[in-house]
mmCIF file of all heavy atoms in Angstrom:
data_model
loop_
_atom_site.group_PDB
_atom_site.id
_atom_site.type_symbol
_atom_site.label_atom_id
_atom_site.label_comp_id
_atom_site.label_asym_id
_atom_site.label_seq_id
_atom_site.Cartn_x
_atom_site.Cartn_y
_atom_site.Cartn_z
ATOM 1 N N ARG A 1 0.822 -1.276 0.027
ATOM 2 C CA ARG A 1 -0.020 0.053 -0.045
ATOM 3 C C ARG A 1 0.832 1.290 -0.019
ATOM 4 O O ARG A 1 0.302 2.363 -0.037
ATOM 5 C CB ARG A 1 -0.899 0.029 1.200
ATOM 6 C CG ARG A 1 -1.931 -1.143 1.279
ATOM 7 C CD ARG A 1 -2.913 -1.039 0.211
ATOM 8 N NE ARG A 1 -4.157 -1.877 0.437
ATOM 9 C CZ ARG A 1 -4.172 -3.097 -0.096
ATOM 10 N NH1 ARG A 1 -3.190 -3.564 -0.889
ATOM 11 N NH2 ARG A 1 -5.248 -3.946 0.208
ATOM 12 N N ARG A 2 2.197 1.107 0.096
ATOM 13 C CA ARG A 2 3.073 2.347 0.044
ATOM 14 C C ARG A 2 2.773 2.994 -1.305
ATOM 15 O O ARG A 2 2.769 2.437 -2.349
ATOM 16 C CB ARG A 2 4.470 1.974 0.121
ATOM 17 C CG ARG A 2 4.998 1.559 1.550
ATOM 18 C CD ARG A 2 6.446 1.219 1.488
ATOM 19 N NE ARG A 2 7.050 0.885 2.768
ATOM 20 C CZ ARG A 2 7.472 1.669 3.633
ATOM 21 N NH1 ARG A 2 7.446 3.041 3.386
ATOM 22 N NH2 ARG A 2 7.989 1.321 4.849
ATOM 23 N N PRO A 3 2.823 4.289 -1.300
ATOM 24 C CA PRO A 3 2.613 5.054 -2.574
ATOM 25 C C PRO A 3 3.792 4.662 -3.586
ATOM 26 O O PRO A 3 3.529 4.554 -4.747
ATOM 27 C CB PRO A 3 2.818 6.570 -2.152
ATOM 28 C CG PRO A 3 2.245 6.594 -0.786
ATOM 29 C CD PRO A 3 2.676 5.248 -0.163
ATOM 30 N N GLN A 4 4.994 4.427 -2.984
ATOM 31 C CA GLN A 4 6.098 3.979 -3.943
ATOM 32 C C GLN A 4 5.832 2.691 -4.575
ATOM 33 O O GLN A 4 6.376 2.340 -5.629
ATOM 34 C CB GLN A 4 7.435 3.941 -3.145
ATOM 35 C CG GLN A 4 7.756 5.203 -2.385
ATOM 36 C CD GLN A 4 7.295 5.286 -1.007
ATOM 37 O OE1 GLN A 4 6.092 4.956 -0.714
ATOM 38 N NE2 GLN A 4 8.089 5.596 -0.024
ATOM 39 N N ALA A 5 4.997 1.759 -3.952
ATOM 40 C CA ALA A 5 4.758 0.505 -4.433
ATOM 41 C C ALA A 5 3.407 0.534 -5.217
ATOM 42 O O ALA A 5 2.995 -0.583 -5.651
ATOM 43 C CB ALA A 5 4.607 -0.513 -3.306
ATOM 44 N N GLY A 6 2.858 1.626 -5.462
ATOM 45 C CA GLY A 6 1.617 1.772 -6.305
ATOM 46 C C GLY A 6 0.356 2.013 -5.513
ATOM 47 O O GLY A 6 -0.694 1.958 -6.044
ATOM 48 N N GLY A 7 0.541 2.020 -4.160
ATOM 49 C CA GLY A 7 -0.706 2.330 -3.334
ATOM 50 C C GLY A 7 -1.361 3.742 -3.615
ATOM 51 O O GLY A 7 -0.567 4.664 -3.771
ATOM 52 N N ASP A 8 -2.601 3.774 -3.668
ATOM 53 C CA ASP A 8 -3.354 4.958 -4.090
ATOM 54 C C ASP A 8 -3.890 5.600 -2.888
ATOM 55 O O ASP A 8 -4.849 5.077 -2.360
ATOM 56 C CB ASP A 8 -4.414 4.652 -5.174
ATOM 57 C CG ASP A 8 -5.104 5.957 -5.689
ATOM 58 O OD1 ASP A 8 -4.812 6.977 -5.129
ATOM 59 O OD2 ASP A 8 -5.834 5.818 -6.698
ATOM 60 N N PRO A 9 -3.512 6.728 -2.439
ATOM 61 C CA PRO A 9 -3.975 7.451 -1.268
ATOM 62 C C PRO A 9 -5.459 7.775 -1.314
ATOM 63 O O PRO A 9 -6.129 7.863 -0.304
ATOM 64 C CB PRO A 9 -3.158 8.709 -1.111
ATOM 65 C CG PRO A 9 -1.814 8.390 -1.874
ATOM 66 C CD PRO A 9 -2.222 7.557 -2.921
ATOM 67 N N GLU A 10 -5.994 7.778 -2.654
ATOM 68 C CA GLU A 10 -7.380 8.022 -2.779
ATOM 69 C C GLU A 10 -8.302 6.891 -2.565
ATOM 70 O O GLU A 10 -9.532 6.941 -2.351
ATOM 71 C CB GLU A 10 -7.634 8.533 -4.230
ATOM 72 C CG GLU A 10 -7.016 9.992 -4.439
ATOM 73 C CD GLU A 10 -7.438 11.034 -3.575
ATOM 74 O OE1 GLU A 10 -8.736 11.063 -3.278
ATOM 75 O OE2 GLU A 10 -6.698 11.836 -3.046
ATOM 76 N N LYS A 11 -7.635 5.633 -2.516
ATOM 77 C CA LYS A 11 -8.442 4.433 -2.510
ATOM 78 C C LYS A 11 -8.043 3.538 -1.236
ATOM 79 O O LYS A 11 -8.707 2.649 -0.834
ATOM 80 C CB LYS A 11 -8.194 3.527 -3.805
ATOM 81 C CG LYS A 11 -8.752 4.122 -4.996
ATOM 82 C CD LYS A 11 -8.446 3.282 -6.231
ATOM 83 C CE LYS A 11 -9.042 3.807 -7.465
ATOM 84 N NZ LYS A 11 -10.551 4.038 -7.404
ATOM 85 N N SER A 12 -6.785 3.808 -0.691
ATOM 86 C CA SER A 12 -6.334 2.995 0.364
ATOM 87 C C SER A 12 -6.013 3.791 1.606
ATOM 88 O O SER A 12 -5.341 4.853 1.594
ATOM 89 C CB SER A 12 -5.039 2.297 -0.028
ATOM 90 O OG SER A 12 -4.363 1.647 1.020
ATOM 91 N N TYR A 13 -6.538 3.359 2.745
ATOM 92 C CA TYR A 13 -6.405 4.013 4.021
ATOM 93 C C TYR A 13 -4.932 3.963 4.360
ATOM 94 O O TYR A 13 -4.227 5.018 4.822
ATOM 95 C CB TYR A 13 -7.174 3.350 5.089
ATOM 96 C CG TYR A 13 -6.867 3.767 6.502
ATOM 97 C CD1 TYR A 13 -7.331 5.013 6.979
ATOM 98 C CD2 TYR A 13 -6.158 2.963 7.342
ATOM 99 C CE1 TYR A 13 -7.101 5.292 8.376
ATOM 100 C CE2 TYR A 13 -5.878 3.272 8.582
ATOM 101 C CZ TYR A 13 -6.378 4.472 9.093
ATOM 102 O OH TYR A 13 -6.108 4.984 10.457
ATOM 103 N N VAL A 14 -4.246 2.831 4.209
ATOM 104 C CA VAL A 14 -2.887 2.648 4.561
ATOM 105 C C VAL A 14 -1.939 3.552 3.674
ATOM 106 O O VAL A 14 -1.097 4.280 4.142
ATOM 107 C CB VAL A 14 -2.408 1.235 4.442
ATOM 108 C CG1 VAL A 14 -0.922 1.057 4.694
ATOM 109 C CG2 VAL A 14 -3.087 0.376 5.426
ATOM 110 N N ALA A 15 -2.241 3.644 2.402
ATOM 111 C CA ALA A 15 -1.538 4.497 1.488
ATOM 112 C C ALA A 15 -1.607 5.907 1.867
ATOM 113 O O ALA A 15 -0.767 6.750 1.805
ATOM 114 C CB ALA A 15 -1.958 4.277 0.076
ATOM 115 N N ARG A 16 -2.885 6.263 2.370
ATOM 116 C CA ARG A 16 -3.073 7.666 2.725
ATOM 117 C C ARG A 16 -2.254 8.013 3.947
ATOM 118 O O ARG A 16 -1.763 9.070 4.103
ATOM 119 C CB ARG A 16 -4.590 7.900 3.109
ATOM 120 C CG ARG A 16 -5.057 9.240 3.088
ATOM 121 C CD ARG A 16 -6.503 9.419 2.690
ATOM 122 N NE ARG A 16 -7.453 8.554 3.529
ATOM 123 C CZ ARG A 16 -8.114 7.510 2.955
ATOM 124 N NH1 ARG A 16 -8.120 7.271 1.764
ATOM 125 N NH2 ARG A 16 -8.892 6.866 3.865
ATOM 126 N N LEU A 17 -2.180 7.098 4.887
ATOM 127 C CA LEU A 17 -1.372 7.277 6.089
ATOM 128 C C LEU A 17 0.101 7.486 5.762
ATOM 129 O O LEU A 17 0.817 8.276 6.204
ATOM 130 C CB LEU A 17 -1.515 6.131 7.085
ATOM 131 C CG LEU A 17 -2.524 6.272 8.194
ATOM 132 C CD1 LEU A 17 -2.482 5.100 9.070
ATOM 133 C CD2 LEU A 17 -2.388 7.523 8.952
ATOM 134 N N PHE A 18 0.641 6.542 4.851
ATOM 135 C CA PHE A 18 1.997 6.669 4.444
ATOM 136 C C PHE A 18 2.199 7.985 3.769
ATOM 137 O O PHE A 18 3.254 8.629 3.968
ATOM 138 C CB PHE A 18 2.352 5.521 3.345
ATOM 139 C CG PHE A 18 2.708 4.255 4.051
ATOM 140 C CD1 PHE A 18 2.175 3.038 3.695
ATOM 141 C CD2 PHE A 18 3.769 4.150 5.062
ATOM 142 C CE1 PHE A 18 2.430 1.788 4.356
ATOM 143 C CE2 PHE A 18 4.119 3.000 5.701
ATOM 144 C CZ PHE A 18 3.481 1.812 5.296
ATOM 145 N N ALA A 19 1.319 8.407 2.914
ATOM 146 C CA ALA A 19 1.487 9.764 2.191
ATOM 147 C C ALA A 19 1.533 10.898 3.192
ATOM 148 O O ALA A 19 2.274 11.895 2.911
ATOM 149 C CB ALA A 19 0.399 9.942 1.217
ATOM 150 N N LYS A 20 0.861 10.791 4.332
ATOM 151 C CA LYS A 20 0.794 11.863 5.299
ATOM 152 C C LYS A 20 2.139 11.990 6.081
ATOM 153 O O LYS A 20 2.490 13.012 6.719
ATOM 154 C CB LYS A 20 -0.301 11.771 6.233
ATOM 155 C CG LYS A 20 -1.681 11.993 5.665
ATOM 156 C CD LYS A 20 -2.799 11.822 6.586
ATOM 157 C CE LYS A 20 -4.169 12.183 5.955
ATOM 158 N NZ LYS A 20 -5.248 11.997 6.885
ATOM 159 N N GLY A 21 2.845 10.844 6.220
ATOM 160 C CA GLY A 21 4.200 10.862 6.911
ATOM 161 C C GLY A 21 4.130 10.233 8.252
ATOM 162 O O GLY A 21 2.983 9.858 8.803
ATOM 163 N N THR A 22 5.308 10.081 8.906
ATOM 164 C CA THR A 22 5.380 9.327 10.087
ATOM 165 C C THR A 22 4.697 9.941 11.340
ATOM 166 O O THR A 22 4.063 9.338 12.144
ATOM 167 C CB THR A 22 6.878 9.164 10.545
ATOM 168 O OG1 THR A 22 7.482 10.508 10.526
ATOM 169 C CG2 THR A 22 7.601 8.225 9.553
ATOM 170 N N ASP A 23 4.600 11.352 11.308
ATOM 171 C CA ASP A 23 3.828 12.067 12.388
ATOM 172 C C ASP A 23 2.381 11.545 12.418
ATOM 173 O O ASP A 23 1.804 11.324 13.498
ATOM 174 C CB ASP A 23 3.947 13.529 12.235
ATOM 175 C CG ASP A 23 5.240 14.084 12.646
ATOM 176 O OD1 ASP A 23 6.067 13.309 13.253
ATOM 177 O OD2 ASP A 23 5.558 15.291 12.446
ATOM 178 N N ALA A 24 1.745 11.450 11.199
ATOM 179 C CA ALA A 24 0.393 11.093 11.181
ATOM 180 C C ALA A 24 0.227 9.592 11.639
ATOM 181 O O ALA A 24 -0.729 9.205 12.235
ATOM 182 C CB ALA A 24 -0.188 11.224 9.770
ATOM 183 N N ILE A 25 1.210 8.739 11.236
ATOM 184 C CA ILE A 25 1.114 7.267 11.561
ATOM 185 C C ILE A 25 1.360 7.091 13.069
ATOM 186 O O ILE A 25 0.568 6.446 13.734
ATOM 187 C CB ILE A 25 2.311 6.552 10.919
ATOM 188 C CG1 ILE A 25 2.041 6.521 9.362
ATOM 189 C CG2 ILE A 25 2.394 5.078 11.480
ATOM 190 C CD1 ILE A 25 3.222 5.968 8.520
ATOM 191 N N LEU A 26 2.224 7.863 13.694
ATOM 192 C CA LEU A 26 2.448 7.828 15.170
ATOM 193 C C LEU A 26 1.255 8.391 15.974
ATOM 194 O O LEU A 26 1.009 7.883 16.969
ATOM 195 C CB LEU A 26 3.752 8.566 15.524
ATOM 196 C CG LEU A 26 4.994 7.941 14.952
ATOM 197 C CD1 LEU A 26 6.281 8.750 15.408
ATOM 198 C CD2 LEU A 26 5.202 6.434 15.299
ATOM 199 N N LYS A 27 0.703 9.423 15.342
ATOM 200 C CA LYS A 27 -0.493 9.933 16.047
ATOM 201 C C LYS A 27 -1.638 8.833 16.084
ATOM 202 O O LYS A 27 -2.334 8.754 17.099
ATOM 203 C CB LYS A 27 -1.032 11.106 15.277
ATOM 204 C CG LYS A 27 -2.352 11.776 15.848
ATOM 205 C CD LYS A 27 -2.669 12.985 15.079
ATOM 206 C CE LYS A 27 -4.007 13.610 15.680
ATOM 207 N NZ LYS A 27 -4.453 14.716 14.896
ATOM 208 N N LYS A 28 -1.782 8.143 15.071
ATOM 209 C CA LYS A 28 -2.846 7.047 14.893
ATOM 210 C C LYS A 28 -2.479 5.941 15.981
ATOM 211 O O LYS A 28 -3.347 5.459 16.709
ATOM 212 C CB LYS A 28 -2.871 6.429 13.561
ATOM 213 C CG LYS A 28 -3.667 7.282 12.631
ATOM 214 C CD LYS A 28 -5.244 7.537 13.091
ATOM 215 C CE LYS A 28 -6.015 6.316 13.142
ATOM 216 N NZ LYS A 28 -7.331 6.498 13.697
ATOM 217 N N VAL A 29 -1.255 5.609 16.162
ATOM 218 C CA VAL A 29 -0.810 4.616 17.175
ATOM 219 C C VAL A 29 -1.180 5.101 18.494
ATOM 220 O O VAL A 29 -1.831 4.362 19.381
ATOM 221 C CB VAL A 29 0.816 4.374 17.100
ATOM 222 C CG1 VAL A 29 1.136 3.478 18.221
ATOM 223 C CG2 VAL A 29 0.969 3.707 15.697
ATOM 224 N N GLY A 30 -1.035 6.386 18.840
ATOM 225 C CA GLY A 30 -1.328 6.892 20.123
ATOM 226 C C GLY A 30 -2.775 7.009 20.319
ATOM 227 O O GLY A 30 -3.323 6.574 21.407
ATOM 228 N N GLU A 31 -3.682 7.273 19.265
ATOM 229 C CA GLU A 31 -5.019 7.183 19.394
ATOM 230 C C GLU A 31 -5.602 5.886 19.698
ATOM 231 O O GLU A 31 -6.437 5.637 20.566
ATOM 232 C CB GLU A 31 -5.706 7.813 18.130
ATOM 233 C CG GLU A 31 -5.438 9.198 17.936
ATOM 234 C CD GLU A 31 -5.969 9.727 16.561
ATOM 235 O OE1 GLU A 31 -6.522 8.848 15.795
ATOM 236 O OE2 GLU A 31 -5.870 11.012 16.262
ATOM 237 N N GLU A 32 -4.984 4.883 18.874
ATOM 238 C CA GLU A 32 -5.528 3.585 19.095
ATOM 239 C C GLU A 32 -5.045 2.957 20.497
ATOM 240 O O GLU A 32 -5.796 2.078 21.067
ATOM 241 C CB GLU A 32 -4.977 2.641 17.959
ATOM 242 C CG GLU A 32 -5.357 2.986 16.632
ATOM 243 C CD GLU A 32 -6.926 2.904 16.449
ATOM 244 O OE1 GLU A 32 -7.521 2.270 17.204
ATOM 245 O OE2 GLU A 32 -7.368 3.599 15.490
ATOM 246 N N ALA A 33 -3.945 3.316 21.007
ATOM 247 C CA ALA A 33 -3.527 3.025 22.337
ATOM 248 C C ALA A 33 -4.451 3.473 23.421
ATOM 249 O O ALA A 33 -4.874 2.751 24.393
ATOM 250 C CB ALA A 33 -2.105 3.452 22.675
ATOM 251 N N THR A 34 -4.927 4.746 23.222
ATOM 252 C CA THR A 34 -5.901 5.381 24.097
ATOM 253 C C THR A 34 -7.215 4.644 24.090
ATOM 254 O O THR A 34 -7.865 4.291 25.106
ATOM 255 C CB THR A 34 -6.034 6.839 23.829
ATOM 256 O OG1 THR A 34 -4.807 7.469 23.872
ATOM 257 C CG2 THR A 34 -7.095 7.485 24.754
ATOM 258 N N GLU A 35 -7.609 4.265 22.818
ATOM 259 C CA GLU A 35 -8.914 3.595 22.756
ATOM 260 C C GLU A 35 -8.828 2.218 23.267
ATOM 261 O O GLU A 35 -9.904 1.697 23.854
ATOM 262 C CB GLU A 35 -9.309 3.538 21.252
ATOM 263 C CG GLU A 35 -9.712 4.891 20.695
ATOM 264 C CD GLU A 35 -10.041 4.843 19.189
ATOM 265 O OE1 GLU A 35 -10.146 3.705 18.667
ATOM 266 O OE2 GLU A 35 -10.175 5.943 18.624
#
């Protein structure tokens, strides 16, 4: 799902996270830990 591997941020949630960068990914980890 990485954009470099052909993942489309418009169609894939994971590709969208990768496109936003590590800060967005780590923020989601924190949110999921809280939940």
Side-chain angles (χ1 to χ4, degrees):
R1 298 291 193 268
R2 285 180 179 275
Q4 304 94 310
D8 186 351
E10 296 299 318
K11 295 181 178 295
S12 167
Y13 170 78
V14 176
R16 197 153 55 244
L17 268 184
F18 276 130
K20 289 181 178 179
T22 54
D23 283 349
I25 294 171
L26 297 177
K27 180 180 178 182
K28 282 300 298 181
V29 173
E31 290 175 358
E32 298 302 340
T34 299
E35 290 179 9

